[in-house]
Short mmCIF file of all heavy atoms in Angstrom, two decimals:
data_model
loop_
_atom_site.label_atom_id
_atom_site.label_comp_id
_atom_site.label_asym_id
_atom_site.label_seq_id
_atom_site.Cartn_x
_atom_site.Cartn_y
_atom_site.Cartn_z
N MET V 1406 -13.73 -105.17 126.34
CA MET V 1406 -12.52 -105.93 126.60
C MET V 1406 -11.84 -106.21 125.28
O MET V 1406 -12.42 -106.71 124.34
CB MET V 1406 -12.90 -107.22 127.31
CG MET V 1406 -11.74 -108.14 127.64
SD MET V 1406 -10.77 -107.69 129.06
CE MET V 1406 -11.87 -108.02 130.41
N ARG V 1407 -10.56 -105.83 125.24
CA ARG V 1407 -9.72 -106.21 124.09
C ARG V 1407 -8.96 -107.44 124.49
O ARG V 1407 -8.57 -107.60 125.65
CB ARG V 1407 -8.77 -105.07 123.76
CG ARG V 1407 -9.48 -103.81 123.30
CD ARG V 1407 -8.46 -102.80 122.91
NE ARG V 1407 -7.52 -103.44 121.96
CZ ARG V 1407 -7.28 -103.03 120.73
NH1 ARG V 1407 -7.82 -101.97 120.28
NH2 ARG V 1407 -6.43 -103.70 119.95
N TRP V 1408 -8.73 -108.31 123.51
CA TRP V 1408 -7.98 -109.52 123.82
C TRP V 1408 -7.24 -110.07 122.59
O TRP V 1408 -7.60 -109.76 121.46
CB TRP V 1408 -8.89 -110.57 124.48
CG TRP V 1408 -9.93 -111.20 123.62
CD1 TRP V 1408 -11.03 -110.59 123.11
CD2 TRP V 1408 -9.99 -112.53 123.17
NE1 TRP V 1408 -11.77 -111.47 122.39
CE2 TRP V 1408 -11.16 -112.70 122.43
CE3 TRP V 1408 -9.16 -113.64 123.34
CZ2 TRP V 1408 -11.52 -113.89 121.83
CZ3 TRP V 1408 -9.54 -114.84 122.81
CH2 TRP V 1408 -10.70 -114.96 122.02
N TRP V 1409 -6.19 -110.84 122.88
CA TRP V 1409 -5.34 -111.42 121.85
C TRP V 1409 -5.19 -112.91 122.17
O TRP V 1409 -5.03 -113.32 123.33
CB TRP V 1409 -3.98 -110.77 121.88
CG TRP V 1409 -4.01 -109.30 121.59
CD1 TRP V 1409 -3.70 -108.72 120.39
CD2 TRP V 1409 -4.34 -108.23 122.49
NE1 TRP V 1409 -3.83 -107.36 120.47
CE2 TRP V 1409 -4.25 -107.02 121.75
CE3 TRP V 1409 -4.73 -108.17 123.81
CZ2 TRP V 1409 -4.50 -105.81 122.34
CZ3 TRP V 1409 -5.01 -106.93 124.37
CH2 TRP V 1409 -4.86 -105.78 123.64
N ARG V 1410 -5.27 -113.73 121.14
CA ARG V 1410 -5.05 -115.18 121.28
C ARG V 1410 -3.78 -115.48 120.52
O ARG V 1410 -3.71 -115.28 119.29
CB ARG V 1410 -6.24 -115.96 120.72
CG ARG V 1410 -6.07 -117.46 120.88
CD ARG V 1410 -7.35 -118.23 120.56
NE ARG V 1410 -8.03 -117.80 119.39
CZ ARG V 1410 -7.96 -118.41 118.19
NH1 ARG V 1410 -7.22 -119.47 118.03
NH2 ARG V 1410 -8.63 -117.92 117.19
N ASN V 1411 -2.79 -115.99 121.22
CA ASN V 1411 -1.49 -116.34 120.63
C ASN V 1411 -0.93 -115.15 119.83
O ASN V 1411 -0.47 -115.31 118.71
CB ASN V 1411 -1.59 -117.58 119.77
CG ASN V 1411 -2.10 -118.77 120.57
OD1 ASN V 1411 -1.72 -118.94 121.71
ND2 ASN V 1411 -2.98 -119.54 120.00
N SER V 1412 -1.02 -113.97 120.40
CA SER V 1412 -0.50 -112.71 119.85
C SER V 1412 -1.31 -112.13 118.69
O SER V 1412 -0.90 -111.14 118.08
CB SER V 1412 0.98 -112.80 119.45
OG SER V 1412 1.75 -113.16 120.55
N TYR V 1413 -2.45 -112.77 118.35
CA TYR V 1413 -3.28 -112.25 117.26
C TYR V 1413 -4.52 -111.58 117.85
O TYR V 1413 -5.24 -112.18 118.67
CB TYR V 1413 -3.73 -113.38 116.32
CG TYR V 1413 -2.59 -113.94 115.54
CD1 TYR V 1413 -1.92 -115.08 115.95
CD2 TYR V 1413 -2.23 -113.34 114.34
CE1 TYR V 1413 -0.85 -115.59 115.22
CE2 TYR V 1413 -1.15 -113.84 113.61
CZ TYR V 1413 -0.48 -114.99 114.05
OH TYR V 1413 0.59 -115.48 113.32
N VAL V 1414 -4.77 -110.33 117.43
CA VAL V 1414 -5.90 -109.58 117.97
C VAL V 1414 -7.21 -110.27 117.63
O VAL V 1414 -7.37 -110.85 116.56
CB VAL V 1414 -5.87 -108.10 117.45
CG1 VAL V 1414 -6.15 -108.03 115.97
CG2 VAL V 1414 -6.85 -107.27 118.25
N GLN V 1415 -8.13 -110.26 118.59
CA GLN V 1415 -9.46 -110.88 118.44
C GLN V 1415 -10.51 -109.78 118.45
O GLN V 1415 -10.22 -108.67 118.89
CB GLN V 1415 -9.69 -111.88 119.56
CG GLN V 1415 -8.67 -113.01 119.65
CD GLN V 1415 -8.65 -113.84 118.38
OE1 GLN V 1415 -9.64 -114.39 117.96
NE2 GLN V 1415 -7.47 -113.91 117.76
N PRO V 1416 -11.72 -110.07 118.00
CA PRO V 1416 -12.77 -109.05 118.02
C PRO V 1416 -12.97 -108.49 119.42
O PRO V 1416 -13.07 -109.24 120.38
CB PRO V 1416 -13.99 -109.76 117.49
CG PRO V 1416 -13.47 -110.92 116.71
CD PRO V 1416 -12.21 -111.33 117.41
N LYS V 1417 -13.08 -107.16 119.53
CA LYS V 1417 -13.28 -106.50 120.83
C LYS V 1417 -14.71 -106.76 121.27
O LYS V 1417 -15.65 -106.72 120.47
CB LYS V 1417 -13.05 -105.00 120.65
CG LYS V 1417 -13.10 -104.22 121.93
CD LYS V 1417 -12.54 -102.82 121.80
CE LYS V 1417 -13.41 -101.95 120.95
NZ LYS V 1417 -13.08 -100.53 121.06
N ASN V 1418 -14.89 -106.99 122.56
CA ASN V 1418 -16.21 -107.15 123.14
C ASN V 1418 -16.94 -105.81 123.13
O ASN V 1418 -16.32 -104.77 123.12
CB ASN V 1418 -16.14 -107.72 124.54
CG ASN V 1418 -15.57 -109.13 124.57
OD1 ASN V 1418 -15.01 -109.59 123.62
ND2 ASN V 1418 -15.72 -109.81 125.69
N SER V 1419 -18.24 -105.82 123.15
CA SER V 1419 -19.06 -104.61 123.05
C SER V 1419 -18.94 -103.74 124.31
O SER V 1419 -19.13 -104.27 125.41
CB SER V 1419 -20.52 -104.95 122.86
OG SER V 1419 -20.69 -105.66 121.66
N PRO V 1420 -18.68 -102.45 124.16
CA PRO V 1420 -18.70 -101.57 125.31
C PRO V 1420 -20.14 -101.34 125.79
O PRO V 1420 -21.08 -101.35 124.96
CB PRO V 1420 -18.09 -100.27 124.79
CG PRO V 1420 -18.34 -100.30 123.33
CD PRO V 1420 -18.36 -101.75 122.94
N HIS V 1421 -20.33 -101.18 127.09
CA HIS V 1421 -21.67 -100.93 127.60
C HIS V 1421 -21.62 -100.31 128.97
O HIS V 1421 -20.62 -100.39 129.67
CB HIS V 1421 -22.51 -102.23 127.60
CG HIS V 1421 -21.83 -103.37 128.29
ND1 HIS V 1421 -20.83 -104.12 127.70
CD2 HIS V 1421 -22.00 -103.89 129.51
CE1 HIS V 1421 -20.43 -105.04 128.52
NE2 HIS V 1421 -21.12 -104.93 129.64
N ASN V 1422 -22.71 -99.65 129.34
CA ASN V 1422 -22.86 -99.08 130.69
C ASN V 1422 -23.60 -100.07 131.56
O ASN V 1422 -24.53 -100.71 131.14
CB ASN V 1422 -23.65 -97.76 130.61
CG ASN V 1422 -22.88 -96.71 129.81
OD1 ASN V 1422 -21.67 -96.56 129.95
ND2 ASN V 1422 -23.59 -95.96 129.01
N VAL V 1423 -23.17 -100.15 132.81
CA VAL V 1423 -23.75 -101.13 133.74
C VAL V 1423 -24.01 -100.45 135.08
O VAL V 1423 -23.36 -99.45 135.42
CB VAL V 1423 -22.85 -102.34 133.92
CG1 VAL V 1423 -22.70 -103.10 132.60
CG2 VAL V 1423 -21.49 -101.96 134.44
N PRO V 1424 -24.93 -100.98 135.90
CA PRO V 1424 -25.19 -100.41 137.23
C PRO V 1424 -24.01 -100.69 138.17
O PRO V 1424 -23.16 -101.56 137.91
CB PRO V 1424 -26.44 -101.14 137.71
CG PRO V 1424 -26.51 -102.38 136.90
CD PRO V 1424 -25.83 -102.09 135.60
N LYS V 1425 -23.96 -99.95 139.31
CA LYS V 1425 -22.83 -100.04 140.21
C LYS V 1425 -22.68 -101.40 140.87
O LYS V 1425 -21.60 -101.76 141.29
CB LYS V 1425 -22.94 -98.96 141.30
CG LYS V 1425 -24.15 -99.09 142.19
CD LYS V 1425 -24.24 -97.97 143.19
CE LYS V 1425 -25.47 -98.06 144.03
NZ LYS V 1425 -25.58 -96.93 144.93
N ASN V 1426 -23.74 -102.21 140.93
CA ASN V 1426 -23.62 -103.54 141.58
C ASN V 1426 -23.42 -104.65 140.54
O ASN V 1426 -23.56 -105.82 140.87
CB ASN V 1426 -24.84 -103.83 142.43
CG ASN V 1426 -26.12 -103.81 141.60
OD1 ASN V 1426 -26.16 -103.33 140.46
ND2 ASN V 1426 -27.23 -104.27 142.20
N TYR V 1427 -23.06 -104.32 139.33
CA TYR V 1427 -22.87 -105.27 138.25
C TYR V 1427 -21.65 -106.15 138.55
O TYR V 1427 -20.59 -105.65 138.97
CB TYR V 1427 -22.67 -104.52 136.94
CG TYR V 1427 -22.52 -105.37 135.73
CD1 TYR V 1427 -23.64 -105.95 135.13
CD2 TYR V 1427 -21.31 -105.58 135.12
CE1 TYR V 1427 -23.52 -106.72 133.97
CE2 TYR V 1427 -21.17 -106.33 133.97
CZ TYR V 1427 -22.28 -106.90 133.44
OH TYR V 1427 -22.15 -107.65 132.29
N ILE V 1428 -21.75 -107.44 138.32
CA ILE V 1428 -20.63 -108.37 138.43
C ILE V 1428 -20.06 -108.57 137.02
O ILE V 1428 -20.70 -109.11 136.14
CB ILE V 1428 -21.07 -109.73 139.05
CG1 ILE V 1428 -21.59 -109.48 140.47
CG2 ILE V 1428 -19.93 -110.71 139.05
CD1 ILE V 1428 -22.20 -110.72 141.10
N PHE V 1429 -18.81 -108.12 136.85
CA PHE V 1429 -18.20 -108.19 135.52
C PHE V 1429 -17.93 -109.68 135.16
O PHE V 1429 -17.52 -110.47 136.01
CB PHE V 1429 -16.91 -107.41 135.51
CG PHE V 1429 -17.15 -105.93 135.54
CD1 PHE V 1429 -17.04 -105.24 136.72
CD2 PHE V 1429 -17.50 -105.27 134.39
CE1 PHE V 1429 -17.27 -103.87 136.78
CE2 PHE V 1429 -17.74 -103.89 134.43
CZ PHE V 1429 -17.64 -103.21 135.63
N HIS V 1430 -18.16 -109.98 133.92
CA HIS V 1430 -17.95 -111.34 133.42
C HIS V 1430 -17.77 -111.22 131.91
O HIS V 1430 -17.97 -110.19 131.33
CB HIS V 1430 -19.16 -112.23 133.74
CG HIS V 1430 -20.37 -111.80 133.04
ND1 HIS V 1430 -21.17 -110.75 133.46
CD2 HIS V 1430 -20.96 -112.23 131.88
CE1 HIS V 1430 -22.18 -110.59 132.61
NE2 HIS V 1430 -22.08 -111.48 131.64
N GLY V 1431 -17.38 -112.33 131.31
CA GLY V 1431 -17.22 -112.31 129.86
C GLY V 1431 -16.78 -113.64 129.34
O GLY V 1431 -16.50 -114.56 130.09
N THR V 1432 -16.68 -113.72 128.03
CA THR V 1432 -16.30 -114.96 127.35
C THR V 1432 -15.34 -114.63 126.25
O THR V 1432 -15.55 -113.71 125.47
CB THR V 1432 -17.53 -115.64 126.75
OG1 THR V 1432 -18.47 -115.88 127.80
CG2 THR V 1432 -17.19 -116.96 126.08
N PHE V 1433 -14.26 -115.36 126.17
CA PHE V 1433 -13.35 -115.31 125.04
C PHE V 1433 -13.62 -116.54 124.21
O PHE V 1433 -13.52 -117.68 124.73
CB PHE V 1433 -11.89 -115.29 125.51
CG PHE V 1433 -11.54 -114.09 126.33
CD1 PHE V 1433 -10.63 -114.22 127.39
CD2 PHE V 1433 -12.05 -112.84 126.09
CE1 PHE V 1433 -10.24 -113.15 128.12
CE2 PHE V 1433 -11.70 -111.74 126.83
CZ PHE V 1433 -10.78 -111.88 127.88
N ASN V 1434 -13.93 -116.37 122.95
CA ASN V 1434 -14.31 -117.50 122.13
C ASN V 1434 -13.85 -117.22 120.69
O ASN V 1434 -14.11 -116.13 120.19
CB ASN V 1434 -15.81 -117.67 122.20
CG ASN V 1434 -16.28 -118.93 121.55
OD1 ASN V 1434 -15.57 -119.88 121.43
ND2 ASN V 1434 -17.52 -118.91 121.10
N PRO V 1435 -13.17 -118.16 120.06
CA PRO V 1435 -12.82 -119.48 120.52
C PRO V 1435 -11.48 -119.47 121.21
O PRO V 1435 -10.60 -118.64 120.92
CB PRO V 1435 -12.75 -120.31 119.22
CG PRO V 1435 -12.22 -119.31 118.21
CD PRO V 1435 -12.82 -117.98 118.61
N VAL V 1436 -11.25 -120.41 122.11
CA VAL V 1436 -9.94 -120.68 122.71
C VAL V 1436 -9.73 -122.17 122.71
O VAL V 1436 -10.68 -122.95 122.71
CB VAL V 1436 -9.80 -120.11 124.12
CG1 VAL V 1436 -9.91 -118.59 124.13
CG2 VAL V 1436 -10.82 -120.68 125.09
N TYR V 1437 -8.46 -122.54 122.70
CA TYR V 1437 -8.10 -123.95 122.65
C TYR V 1437 -7.12 -124.29 123.77
O TYR V 1437 -6.52 -123.39 124.35
CB TYR V 1437 -7.51 -124.30 121.29
CG TYR V 1437 -8.48 -123.94 120.17
CD1 TYR V 1437 -8.31 -122.77 119.45
CD2 TYR V 1437 -9.57 -124.74 119.89
CE1 TYR V 1437 -9.21 -122.42 118.45
CE2 TYR V 1437 -10.46 -124.41 118.89
CZ TYR V 1437 -10.27 -123.24 118.19
OH TYR V 1437 -11.20 -122.89 117.21
N GLY V 1438 -6.93 -125.54 124.03
CA GLY V 1438 -6.19 -126.03 125.20
C GLY V 1438 -4.76 -125.56 125.37
O GLY V 1438 -4.27 -125.59 126.48
N SER V 1439 -4.12 -125.12 124.33
CA SER V 1439 -2.71 -124.70 124.47
C SER V 1439 -2.54 -123.21 124.17
O SER V 1439 -1.42 -122.75 123.95
CB SER V 1439 -1.83 -125.54 123.60
OG SER V 1439 -2.19 -125.35 122.24
N ASP V 1440 -3.61 -122.44 124.15
CA ASP V 1440 -3.56 -121.02 123.78
C ASP V 1440 -2.96 -120.15 124.88
O ASP V 1440 -3.07 -120.48 126.07
CB ASP V 1440 -4.95 -120.49 123.45
CG ASP V 1440 -5.46 -120.92 122.09
OD1 ASP V 1440 -4.65 -121.41 121.31
OD2 ASP V 1440 -6.67 -120.79 121.87
N HIS V 1441 -2.38 -119.04 124.45
CA HIS V 1441 -1.93 -117.98 125.34
C HIS V 1441 -2.88 -116.80 125.10
O HIS V 1441 -3.03 -116.37 123.97
CB HIS V 1441 -0.48 -117.58 125.07
CG HIS V 1441 -0.08 -116.37 125.86
ND1 HIS V 1441 0.35 -116.43 127.15
CD2 HIS V 1441 -0.05 -115.07 125.50
CE1 HIS V 1441 0.63 -115.23 127.57
NE2 HIS V 1441 0.40 -114.39 126.58
N LEU V 1442 -3.48 -116.27 126.15
CA LEU V 1442 -4.42 -115.15 126.04
C LEU V 1442 -3.87 -113.93 126.75
O LEU V 1442 -3.37 -114.06 127.87
CB LEU V 1442 -5.77 -115.50 126.63
CG LEU V 1442 -6.45 -116.77 126.13
CD1 LEU V 1442 -7.78 -116.97 126.87
CD2 LEU V 1442 -6.65 -116.74 124.65
N ASP V 1443 -4.00 -112.77 126.12
CA ASP V 1443 -3.70 -111.48 126.76
C ASP V 1443 -4.99 -110.69 126.69
O ASP V 1443 -5.77 -110.82 125.75
CB ASP V 1443 -2.63 -110.73 126.02
CG ASP V 1443 -1.28 -111.41 126.04
OD1 ASP V 1443 -0.70 -111.48 127.15
OD2 ASP V 1443 -0.84 -111.88 124.99
N TYR V 1444 -5.25 -109.90 127.72
CA TYR V 1444 -6.47 -109.09 127.73
C TYR V 1444 -6.20 -107.73 128.39
O TYR V 1444 -5.28 -107.57 129.17
CB TYR V 1444 -7.60 -109.83 128.47
CG TYR V 1444 -7.27 -110.16 129.91
CD1 TYR V 1444 -7.56 -109.28 130.93
CD2 TYR V 1444 -6.66 -111.38 130.22
CE1 TYR V 1444 -7.23 -109.58 132.24
CE2 TYR V 1444 -6.37 -111.69 131.53
CZ TYR V 1444 -6.66 -110.79 132.54
OH TYR V 1444 -6.34 -111.08 133.83
N GLN V 1445 -7.05 -106.76 128.00
CA GLN V 1445 -6.96 -105.42 128.56
C GLN V 1445 -8.31 -104.72 128.48
O GLN V 1445 -9.03 -104.89 127.46
CB GLN V 1445 -5.91 -104.59 127.81
CG GLN V 1445 -5.73 -103.20 128.34
CD GLN V 1445 -4.66 -102.43 127.57
OE1 GLN V 1445 -3.97 -102.97 126.73
NE2 GLN V 1445 -4.56 -101.16 127.89
N ASP V 1446 -8.65 -103.98 129.48
CA ASP V 1446 -9.88 -103.21 129.46
C ASP V 1446 -9.68 -101.89 130.24
O ASP V 1446 -8.80 -101.78 131.06
CB ASP V 1446 -11.05 -103.99 130.05
CG ASP V 1446 -12.39 -103.59 129.48
OD1 ASP V 1446 -12.47 -102.57 128.75
OD2 ASP V 1446 -13.36 -104.30 129.70
N TYR V 1447 -10.52 -100.93 129.93
CA TYR V 1447 -10.47 -99.60 130.53
C TYR V 1447 -11.87 -99.25 131.02
O TYR V 1447 -12.83 -99.34 130.28
CB TYR V 1447 -9.99 -98.59 129.47
CG TYR V 1447 -9.91 -97.18 129.94
CD1 TYR V 1447 -8.86 -96.79 130.77
CD2 TYR V 1447 -10.84 -96.25 129.57
CE1 TYR V 1447 -8.74 -95.47 131.22
CE2 TYR V 1447 -10.72 -94.92 129.98
CZ TYR V 1447 -9.71 -94.54 130.82
OH TYR V 1447 -9.60 -93.25 131.26
N PHE V 1448 -11.98 -98.88 132.29
CA PHE V 1448 -13.25 -98.53 132.90
C PHE V 1448 -13.23 -97.07 133.34
O PHE V 1448 -12.20 -96.59 133.84
CB PHE V 1448 -13.48 -99.36 134.19
CG PHE V 1448 -13.45 -100.86 133.98
CD1 PHE V 1448 -12.29 -101.57 134.09
CD2 PHE V 1448 -14.64 -101.52 133.69
CE1 PHE V 1448 -12.26 -102.93 133.90
CE2 PHE V 1448 -14.62 -102.90 133.50
CZ PHE V 1448 -13.44 -103.58 133.61
N THR V 1449 -14.34 -96.40 133.12
CA THR V 1449 -14.52 -95.06 133.72
C THR V 1449 -15.79 -95.11 134.53
O THR V 1449 -16.74 -95.83 134.20
CB THR V 1449 -14.63 -93.95 132.62
OG1 THR V 1449 -15.71 -94.25 131.75
CG2 THR V 1449 -13.33 -93.84 131.86
N PHE V 1450 -15.81 -94.32 135.62
CA PHE V 1450 -16.96 -94.34 136.54
C PHE V 1450 -17.04 -93.05 137.32
O PHE V 1450 -16.01 -92.37 137.51
CB PHE V 1450 -16.87 -95.55 137.48
CG PHE V 1450 -15.53 -95.62 138.20
CD1 PHE V 1450 -15.40 -95.02 139.45
CD2 PHE V 1450 -14.47 -96.26 137.64
CE1 PHE V 1450 -14.15 -95.07 140.10
CE2 PHE V 1450 -13.25 -96.36 138.28
CZ PHE V 1450 -13.09 -95.75 139.54
N ARG V 1451 -18.23 -92.71 137.74
CA ARG V 1451 -18.44 -91.55 138.60
C ARG V 1451 -18.24 -92.00 140.04
O ARG V 1451 -18.51 -93.14 140.40
CB ARG V 1451 -19.87 -91.02 138.44
CG ARG V 1451 -20.19 -90.52 137.03
CD ARG V 1451 -19.45 -89.26 136.65
NE ARG V 1451 -19.79 -88.18 137.57
CZ ARG V 1451 -19.06 -87.09 137.74
NH1 ARG V 1451 -17.96 -86.91 137.08
NH2 ARG V 1451 -19.43 -86.17 138.59
N HIS V 1452 -17.73 -91.08 140.88
CA HIS V 1452 -17.55 -91.39 142.28
C HIS V 1452 -17.94 -90.19 143.15
O HIS V 1452 -18.08 -89.07 142.65
CB HIS V 1452 -16.11 -91.82 142.58
CG HIS V 1452 -15.11 -90.72 142.40
ND1 HIS V 1452 -14.93 -89.73 143.33
CD2 HIS V 1452 -14.24 -90.48 141.38
CE1 HIS V 1452 -13.98 -88.90 142.90
NE2 HIS V 1452 -13.57 -89.34 141.73
N ASN V 1453 -18.16 -90.45 144.44
CA ASN V 1453 -18.52 -89.37 145.36
C ASN V 1453 -17.49 -89.19 146.45
O ASN V 1453 -17.80 -88.77 147.55
CB ASN V 1453 -19.92 -89.60 145.92
CG ASN V 1453 -20.03 -90.87 146.71
OD1 ASN V 1453 -19.06 -91.62 146.84
ND2 ASN V 1453 -21.23 -91.16 147.23
N VAL V 1454 -16.25 -89.49 146.17
CA VAL V 1454 -15.15 -89.28 147.10
C VAL V 1454 -14.83 -87.79 147.09
O VAL V 1454 -14.66 -87.19 146.00
CB VAL V 1454 -13.90 -90.12 146.73
CG1 VAL V 1454 -12.76 -89.82 147.68
CG2 VAL V 1454 -14.26 -91.59 146.73
N GLY V 1455 -14.71 -87.17 148.27
CA GLY V 1455 -14.43 -85.74 148.32
C GLY V 1455 -15.56 -84.98 147.62
O GLY V 1455 -16.75 -85.16 147.97
N SER V 1456 -15.19 -84.16 146.68
CA SER V 1456 -16.21 -83.38 145.94
C SER V 1456 -16.78 -84.13 144.78
O SER V 1456 -17.56 -83.60 143.98
CB SER V 1456 -15.61 -82.06 145.47
OG SER V 1456 -14.53 -82.30 144.60
N GLY V 1457 -16.43 -85.40 144.59
CA GLY V 1457 -16.94 -86.22 143.47
C GLY V 1457 -16.12 -86.02 142.22
O GLY V 1457 -15.25 -85.19 142.16
N GLY V 1458 -16.43 -86.82 141.25
CA GLY V 1458 -15.70 -86.72 139.97
C GLY V 1458 -15.77 -87.98 139.19
O GLY V 1458 -16.68 -88.82 139.37
N THR V 1459 -14.84 -88.17 138.29
CA THR V 1459 -14.78 -89.33 137.46
C THR V 1459 -13.48 -90.08 137.73
O THR V 1459 -12.42 -89.46 137.79
CB THR V 1459 -14.84 -88.92 135.97
OG1 THR V 1459 -16.08 -88.25 135.72
CG2 THR V 1459 -14.76 -90.14 135.05
N GLY V 1460 -13.58 -91.39 137.92
CA GLY V 1460 -12.40 -92.21 138.08
C GLY V 1460 -12.20 -93.10 136.90
O GLY V 1460 -13.09 -93.28 136.05
N SER V 1461 -11.01 -93.65 136.77
CA SER V 1461 -10.74 -94.59 135.68
C SER V 1461 -9.83 -95.70 136.19
O SER V 1461 -9.08 -95.52 137.16
CB SER V 1461 -10.09 -93.88 134.50
OG SER V 1461 -8.84 -93.35 134.85
N LEU V 1462 -9.90 -96.81 135.52
CA LEU V 1462 -9.16 -98.01 135.91
C LEU V 1462 -8.83 -98.80 134.67
O LEU V 1462 -9.70 -99.02 133.81
CB LEU V 1462 -9.98 -98.88 136.85
CG LEU V 1462 -9.41 -100.20 137.28
CD1 LEU V 1462 -8.21 -100.02 138.17
CD2 LEU V 1462 -10.50 -101.03 137.98
N THR V 1463 -7.57 -99.18 134.51
CA THR V 1463 -7.16 -100.09 133.42
C THR V 1463 -6.76 -101.41 134.03
O THR V 1463 -6.03 -101.42 135.01
CB THR V 1463 -5.96 -99.49 132.64
OG1 THR V 1463 -6.34 -98.26 132.05
CG2 THR V 1463 -5.50 -100.45 131.56
N ILE V 1464 -7.29 -102.51 133.49
CA ILE V 1464 -6.90 -103.82 133.92
C ILE V 1464 -6.26 -104.55 132.72
O ILE V 1464 -6.59 -104.26 131.57
CB ILE V 1464 -8.07 -104.65 134.46
CG1 ILE V 1464 -9.13 -104.93 133.35
CG2 ILE V 1464 -8.72 -103.98 135.66
CD1 ILE V 1464 -10.11 -105.98 133.72
N ALA V 1465 -5.33 -105.43 133.03
CA ALA V 1465 -4.70 -106.20 131.97
C ALA V 1465 -4.12 -107.48 132.58
O ALA V 1465 -3.82 -107.52 133.80
CB ALA V 1465 -3.57 -105.40 131.30
N GLY V 1466 -3.97 -108.49 131.78
CA GLY V 1466 -3.39 -109.74 132.26
C GLY V 1466 -3.12 -110.71 131.15
O GLY V 1466 -3.39 -110.41 129.97
N ALA V 1467 -2.64 -111.86 131.54
CA ALA V 1467 -2.33 -112.94 130.57
C ALA V 1467 -2.66 -114.27 131.22
O ALA V 1467 -2.57 -114.42 132.43
CB ALA V 1467 -0.88 -112.87 130.18
N VAL V 1468 -3.08 -115.20 130.37
CA VAL V 1468 -3.42 -116.54 130.80
C VAL V 1468 -2.87 -117.57 129.84
O VAL V 1468 -3.03 -117.38 128.61
CB VAL V 1468 -4.94 -116.74 130.92
CG1 VAL V 1468 -5.30 -118.15 131.30
CG2 VAL V 1468 -5.56 -115.77 131.87
N ASP V 1469 -2.16 -118.55 130.33
CA ASP V 1469 -1.77 -119.67 129.49
C ASP V 1469 -2.69 -120.86 129.80
O ASP V 1469 -2.78 -121.29 130.96
CB ASP V 1469 -0.33 -120.12 129.80
CG ASP V 1469 0.67 -119.12 129.24
OD1 ASP V 1469 0.54 -118.77 128.06
OD2 ASP V 1469 1.60 -118.71 129.97
N LEU V 1470 -3.40 -121.32 128.81
CA LEU V 1470 -4.31 -122.46 128.95
C LEU V 1470 -3.53 -123.77 128.86
O LEU V 1470 -2.65 -123.90 127.99
CB LEU V 1470 -5.42 -122.39 127.92
CG LEU V 1470 -6.24 -121.13 127.92
CD1 LEU V 1470 -7.29 -121.19 126.80
CD2 LEU V 1470 -6.91 -120.91 129.26
N ILE V 1471 -3.87 -124.67 129.72
CA ILE V 1471 -3.23 -125.99 129.70
C ILE V 1471 -4.36 -127.03 129.71
O ILE V 1471 -5.22 -127.04 130.60
CB ILE V 1471 -2.35 -126.21 130.95
CG1 ILE V 1471 -1.26 -125.16 130.95
CG2 ILE V 1471 -1.76 -127.61 130.94
CD1 ILE V 1471 -0.43 -125.16 132.23
N HIS V 1472 -4.38 -127.86 128.71
CA HIS V 1472 -5.39 -128.92 128.65
C HIS V 1472 -4.68 -130.25 128.69
O HIS V 1472 -3.82 -130.55 127.85
CB HIS V 1472 -6.20 -128.80 127.36
CG HIS V 1472 -7.34 -129.73 127.32
ND1 HIS V 1472 -7.27 -131.09 127.09
CD2 HIS V 1472 -8.69 -129.50 127.51
CE1 HIS V 1472 -8.42 -131.64 127.13
NE2 HIS V 1472 -9.33 -130.69 127.39
N ASP V 1473 -5.02 -131.06 129.67
CA ASP V 1473 -4.41 -132.37 129.82
C ASP V 1473 -5.29 -133.39 129.11
O ASP V 1473 -6.37 -133.72 129.55
CB ASP V 1473 -4.31 -132.70 131.30
CG ASP V 1473 -3.55 -133.97 131.55
OD1 ASP V 1473 -2.89 -134.48 130.62
OD2 ASP V 1473 -3.58 -134.45 132.70
N TYR V 1474 -4.81 -133.89 127.99
CA TYR V 1474 -5.58 -134.84 127.19
C TYR V 1474 -5.47 -136.24 127.72
O TYR V 1474 -4.48 -136.76 128.06
CB TYR V 1474 -5.19 -134.82 125.73
CG TYR V 1474 -5.59 -133.54 125.03
CD1 TYR V 1474 -4.71 -132.48 124.94
CD2 TYR V 1474 -6.87 -133.37 124.55
CE1 TYR V 1474 -5.08 -131.30 124.32
CE2 TYR V 1474 -7.24 -132.21 123.91
CZ TYR V 1474 -6.38 -131.19 123.81
OH TYR V 1474 -6.75 -130.01 123.19
#
C-alpha cells in the first residue's frame, strides 16, 4: 500500500503474498486528528474464470480525519 499524509509520501507498506481467504488490513502510522490521507494499492491474482488467467485490481481513496477535542 502506498500512501500520502497531507500530500507528503509516506513509507510504502511491505508487499506480500497471501492466501485467497485473507482479510486485508493495515495501519497508517503516524496520523493526526486533522490529517488528509490518500492511498493506493495494486493487486494481482490468479483466477479460474473461463480458461483461467491472471487478474489485477487497483484501489485508491482518500480520508479526511476529524478529531473533536
Side-chain angles (χ1 to χ4, degrees):
M1406 179 79 70
R1407 296 184 50 122
W1408 68 292
W1409 297 260
R1410 182 170 44 101
N1411 302 321
S1412 300
Y1413 292 95
V1414 68
Q1415 301 299 304
K1417 186 168 68 167
N1418 295 15
S1419 298
H1421 52 282
N1422 295 320
V1423 296
K1425 63 183 178 183
N1426 60 347
Y1427 184 77
I1428 298 174
F1429 289 98
H1430 66 281
T1432 302
F1433 297 144
N1434 189 25
V1436 296
Y1437 304 100
S1439 61
D1440 284 345
H1441 172 82
L1442 307 179
D1443 295 292
Y1444 59 90
Q1445 181 179 354
D1446 208 349
Y1447 180 75
F1448 302 90
T1449 59
F1450 53 92
R1451 299 291 300 160
H1452 67 78
N1453 60 1
V1454 177
S1456 61
T1459 300
S1461 63
L1462 174 69
T1463 299
I1464 64 166
V1468 176
D1469 285 311
L1470 302 178
I1471 300 172
H1472 188 284
D1473 187 13
Y1474 291 95

